[in-house]
Every structure is written in structure tokens, then in C-alpha cells.
Amino acid sequence: MAVSIFDLFKIGIGPSSSHTVGPMRAAHLFTQYLHNHDLADKTRHITTELYGSLSHTGRGHGTDKAIILGLMGEQPDSVDPDKIPAMLSQTKDSGVIINGALTLKFSDKDHLKFHKRKKLPLHSNGMQFTAYNEAGEALKQKAYYSVGGGFVLAHNHMQEQHIMEDDTPLSYKFESGDELITLCHRHNMTIADIMYANEQAWRSREDIDRQLDTIWQAMEQCMQRGFNTTGTLPGGLNLPRRAPKIFAELNKKSAKDLADPLTVIDWVNVYALAVSEENAAGGRVVTAPTNGAAGIIPAVINYYLNYIDGADQQGVRHFLLTAAAVGILYKTKASISGAEVGCQGEVGVASSMAAAGLAAACGLTPDEIENAAEIAMEHNLGLTCDPIGGLVQIPCIERNAMGSVKAINAVRMADRNEGNHYVSLDKVIKTMKATGDDMKDSYKETSRGGLAVNIIEC
């Protein structure tokens, strides 16, 4: 299975990679299927059925809006977030969706079904699309699964051993952390070197650097919007944005003014809060590896740029490349889906990736990088996904700040371990997957357990 860096790091919109980005992509894929098989001009309406976690928290996560946008032909990386309210309002007022040869009757009540007591067989984030003609006869039905991080698989693909279709041969194939570290030692290469070589199966070195820079620019722009946008987050909790106020207070003095030595934590917190609040508002973010954990890697990169001597753009690239290598291990050997393994698969994985990336940017050895990634996940094991009101706000936003600080501390600890440690990254990934399998469904992005049921909504 070949996974590109840019499969993990994707530009999209908030608030959720699994509940917003994935469903939008799935709806778009279904309409493309209809166009490609001469069914578009025969289709008069499409019914979308949502199952499992998508049905429980879909409204709060914007799944209903994402489906409509996908049916309209929009995609997460190109849709303009500022135009989304007008597009949705127009659809609601007209009762019609137009997408090329597709002209669809649409009403939320009739054409979006939330099956809260049912699940499709292969993943909690299941959805099924059915196209009907004028006579109400079904023309085509397809099921898709949003498996985390914006990844979407069709039902038949998941039956094929849960693999993606891309079987591109890679220069340095690895399927475990141990194999990755062995490759580094054998060829005297860094993890970033390995990732550069593998990524060149798809694109040139220049294109890799250009796309990495684009990813970081999108993260940075998201953070800046979060610093400067005030108000209340949507969804009904009336949660005020905190990042602008904290940023203004901290900005009265230099980021490197450490009269209070813990000020650095305040800065890391506000970096993460800014991105996470922008995500919660439905803004443009980078899945890293998911939207719910999108604030962690940008926050730790900003820490690197502001507090590590000698930090530069190439260091940021090495950060992202190394973080992606670790993310690919979690993606292929366990899960990055909160609906499958809880928030340990989102915030935990992002924290682990960020620790690896920071360790690489700081010049630590491959063994120390692997140790940093392991430490960060080890102390996120068992983290549940229990969003209040089905919104990616509480506890999600603060968890990004906490995950960022854990990543930084993991690097500091690994640096002093000199690569010597008892638990390997592979063992902690295996443990995370087993813990997720044992976790009750009520703690897997359904808002039926934990904080979601113990806090009275006002």
C-alpha cells in the first residue's frame, strides 16, 4: 500500500475530516459515477443515508451540509468557505441541486436519512447513496466509508483487505517503525530522506518542496485567521473564540520574552487554539492527519520556528516529511478515525506525528525520533472521542493545545534518552489499535458517552 505525504496532509474545510471532508468527497464521487456512466440525465433525486457515527454526530459536524455541497460538485480543497452559506441557502430556497447534467430535487427531510440505530458492516462512518429516476425507480446505489483524515473507500474496496487502490512501487518500502529505522541505518539516511525518495514515485523533488510549502502556508494562514477573527463559534454552545484575546495579550511583548518561563506554553496553546477554533467555524484547514486534531502540527511547527535556534524552511519540510512517515504507520497499521478508535486516533496520532516532526527538525537521530513519537502516543492511549453536542469544540479545541504541549515534552524526553527506550513505536501503535477495539462505541464520536452526556447543554 503506497500512501503519499499529501494523502495525509490535505487542504479542506472544517469542522471534521471524517464527517465533513470525507462525506463531501463521497457525494462528489457518487455524482461523478453517475456522470461517467450516462446516468446523470436520468437521475431526478438522490437519497443519502448516514449510519453509525455519521448519524449520531453528523448534524453537529456539518455532514448534512457537506453532502449537499458534494452533490453540487464542490470539493473540500477548492470550495470557498465564505460562499458556503449562500450556496446552502439557495439550495434550501429552491429545492434544487444543479451539477452539470444532474438536476436534482432536494429537501433535507426527504433526501437525507440519519439511521442512528444502524451501522454498515465495515466501518462506523458509513453512508449510502441511491439515485432515482422520475418514476422513483432506483438507478444506482453505492456505499462509501469515511475512514478518517478525509480518506474515502467504496464498499468493494474495503472488502479487498481494507487497502487503497494505489500500489505504486516505492524506493524504500516500510511497513513498521522498526523497518523504517533499519532503512535509515542501512542506507545512512534520515527519515525525511526516505520520504523524499518515496514521494518521488509520484512527483519531482521540486514539486514535493513546493507542495510542502503550500501545506505549511495553508496552516499558517489558518492560524492567522484564528488570531484575528473574534465572535462566537457556530453550533449552539455559544462558545466564544479565545485565541484572539489571548493572542492580543501575549502580543504586547515578544514571543521570546520569557520573564515568565512558562509563557512559551501560552504561545503554544494559542497557536493550537487559533487553528482549532477556525476549524470549528468551518474555515479552511489542513487535515493533519484529521481536522479534529488539525491544530497540533501547526502549533508545534510554530514553536520550532519561534523558539529553536537555526529554524528554517527546510526544517519545516523535514518536520512535515517525518511526521507523515509516522502518520502513515498509524494509518496503515491502526487507524486515524475517532469513530473507530476514539480521540487517541486523532489527537494522539497528531501529537505523535508532531513529536516526530519536531525531533527531526531539531536534528535528533532516527532512533530518538521514533522514541519521541512513541512517548507522545503512550500518554494519549485510551483518549475518548466524546464531543459535547456533536460539535468539534468541547473538549476538542483544548485537546489540540494539550496534544501540542505533550509533543514538545516528548521530544525533550527523547533527546535525553538518546534513543534508548523499552516500548517501541510499533508496540504502542498495536496497543492503540487494541485499545480502540476494546473501547465502547459510546466513546467513539457518537456523543453518547463521557463529557457529551455528563454536561447539561444550556
Side-chain angles (χ1 to χ4, degrees), residues 85-391:
M87 288 189 283
L88 295 174
S89 178
Q90 182 180 9
T91 297
K92 180 180 179 181
D93 293 342
S94 66
V96 175
I97 290 174
I98 298 176
N99 176 357
L102 271 173
T103 301
L104 307 171
K105 298 177 183 177
F106 182 84
S107 75
D108 188 284
K109 178 181 177 182
D110 296 331
H111 301 131
L112 269 177
K113 306 293 183 182
F114 291 79
H115 298 298
K116 293 188 176 182
R117 299 182 184 275
K118 298 180 182 179
K119 289 174 63 175
L120 292 183
L122 301 177
H123 194 279
S124 180
N125 288 337
M127 66 201 101
Q128 186 165 267
F129 299 88
T130 308
Y132 294 89
N133 63 15
E134 189 69 51
E137 300 166 331
L139 299 173
K140 186 63 183 179
Q141 184 176 84
K142 287 180 73 68
Y144 297 86
Y145 297 87
S146 179
V147 296
F151 287 87
V152 172
L153 299 181
H155 189 94
N156 61 316
H157 294 158
M158 289 196 69
Q159 288 177 326
E160 295 170 5
Q161 301 175 3
H162 198 126
I163 61 173
M164 299 289 284
E165 292 181 286
D166 196 331
D167 57 358
T168 302
L170 303 178
S171 299
Y172 298 98
K173 182 180 179 181
F174 59 90
E175 295 183 354
S176 69
D178 286 347
E179 289 181 7
L180 176 58
I181 301 306
T182 298
L183 285 171
C184 291
H185 292 319
R186 180 181 301 155
H187 300 283
N188 193 27
M189 298 169 73
T190 66
I191 294 174
D193 292 334
I194 296 286
M195 295 302 291
Y196 264 130
N198 285 347
E199 194 65 28
Q200 287 181 76
W202 293 286
R203 50 188 61 85
S204 70
R205 172 67 178 257
E206 293 74 19
D207 283 341
I208 296 168
D209 282 346
R210 184 163 45 250
Q211 290 195 44
L212 288 171
D213 293 347
T214 297
I215 290 296
W216 167 237
Q217 288 164 10
M219 290 177 172
E220 193 173 29
Q221 289 166 4
C222 178
M223 192 180 299
Q224 291 298 324
R225 290 194 303 273
F227 288 153
N228 294 294
T229 306
T230 59
T232 301
L233 294 173
L237 293 181
N238 298 317
L239 195 67
R241 288 183 184 245
R242 287 180 290 172
K245 182 175 183 291
I246 298 171
F247 178 70
E249 291 173 351
L250 290 173
N251 221 27
K252 293 175 183 177
K253 52 187 176 181
S254 166
K256 292 190 176 183
D257 180 359
L258 299 180
D260 174 0
L262 295 184
T263 299
V264 62
I265 295 179
D266 295 331
W267 277 104
V268 173
N269 286 340
V270 78
Y271 299 151
L273 293 175
V275 174
S276 298
E277 288 175 353
E278 189 64 20
N279 174 66
R284 186 167 301 289
V285 298
V286 176
T287 60
T290 68
N291 282 33
I296 294 172
I297 285 176
V300 180
I301 291 178
N302 232 29
Y303 165 83
Y304 162 72
L305 290 172
N306 282 297
Y307 293 100
I308 302 299
D309 290 338
D312 59 17
Q313 186 61 32
Q314 190 59 41
V316 173
R317 294 168 185 157
H318 286 171
F319 187 120
L320 291 170
L321 289 160
T322 308
V326 170
I328 287 169
L329 290 175
Y330 283 103
K331 168 65 184 165
T332 57
K333 306 302 288 186
S335 175
I336 58 172
S337 168
E340 192 171 11
V341 295
C343 199
Q344 59 175 356
E346 297 200 34
V347 164
V349 171
S351 185
S352 185
M353 291 171 65
L358 178 60
C362 291
L364 273 63
T365 68
D367 296 274
E368 291 167 336
I369 292 167
E370 185 256 2
N371 186 201
E374 182 279 323
I375 291 171
M377 173 52 79
E378 185 176 331
H379 302 288
N380 277 292
L381 287 174
L383 192 62
T384 59
C385 184
D386 47 356
I388 294 175
L391 299 167

